[in-house]
Amino acid sequence: MAVLGFNHYNLRAERLMMEQLKVFYRDVVGLQIGERPQLTSFGYWLYAGSKDVLHLSEAKPEEKRKENVVTTFDHVAFTATDYDATIARLEKLAIKFRTREISDAGQKQIFFSDPAGNGIELNFS
């Protein structure tokens, strides 16, 4: 077996939170809502370019989802462009964030959280 690369990650939530996540990842992170196959659950696939990278799926009513629990998941990272415009958009939307510069790698990073508390990192060359 060989892993060839990252495919996608999935967030499951009740519908109201899932709708908030859809809007957040579209309007704040910059992913695009795209094609999703006919599945038994309701949800969305969000794309970075032509690749689906985030799947949002509705938790079933009887499904108990743990929220705000301690896990080993910290964040998901995306390659991004236009650092200054991204900072301005986060400030305009009053989203708390922190930045870091890695001089050796020639990289700037922005860290923030989505409405469910999941960490997001944006990387800029």
Side-chain angles (χ1 to χ4, degrees), residues 51-85:
K51 174 68 181 116
D52 58 296
V53 295
L54 171 58
H55 296 177
L56 298 175
S57 55
E58 183 177 28
K60 296 179 174 123
E62 69 277 4
E63 188 177 335
K64 298 296 182 211
R65 303 302 300 172
K66 295 180 181 178
E67 294 182 12
N68 301 318
V69 296
V70 176
T71 70
T72 57
F73 177 81
D74 184 68
H75 67 275
V76 62
F78 296 104
T79 302
T81 61
D82 207 341
Y83 179 84
D84 292 334

Side-chain angles (χ1 to χ4, degrees), residues 3-122:
V3 173
L4 302 176
F6 176 77
N7 190 279
H8 72 275
Y9 72 111
N10 184 71
L11 300 177
R12 289 181 68 78
E14 55 88 27
R15 189 165 300 196
L16 180 61
M17 175 56 72
M18 188 181 58
E19 294 294 336
Q20 291 174 2
L21 292 169
K22 175 190 76 172
V23 170
F24 184 88
Y25 280 93
R26 181 193 66 203
D27 296 353
V28 177
V29 178
L31 299 179
Q32 298 86 40
I33 299 167
E35 293 294 318
R36 178 180 186 260
Q38 288 277 351
L39 300 171
T40 57
S41 65
F42 180 81
Y44 301 99
W45 281 13
L46 286 89
Y47 288 71
S50 62
K51 174 68 181 116
D52 58 296
V53 295
L54 171 58
H55 296 177
L56 298 175
S57 55
E58 183 177 28
K60 296 179 174 123
E62 69 277 4
E63 188 177 335
K64 298 296 182 211
R65 303 302 300 172
K66 295 180 181 178
E67 294 182 12
N68 301 318
V69 296
V70 176
T71 70
T72 57
F73 177 81
D74 184 68
H75 67 275
V76 62
F78 296 104
T79 302
T81 61
D82 207 341
Y83 179 84
D84 292 334
T86 302
I87 294 285
R89 182 169 67 239
L90 293 173
E91 288 174 342
K92 179 180 178 186
L93 296 170
I95 294 171
K96 293 180 182 180
F97 65 92
R98 66 182 175 83
T99 62
R100 178 171 68 181
E101 189 167 341
I102 304 174
S103 300
D104 296 352
Q107 189 174 63
K108 291 182 179 180
Q109 300 172 317
I110 303 173
F111 299 90
F112 54 99
S113 295
D114 72 18
N118 300 302
I120 301 166
E121 172 186 328
L122 300 179

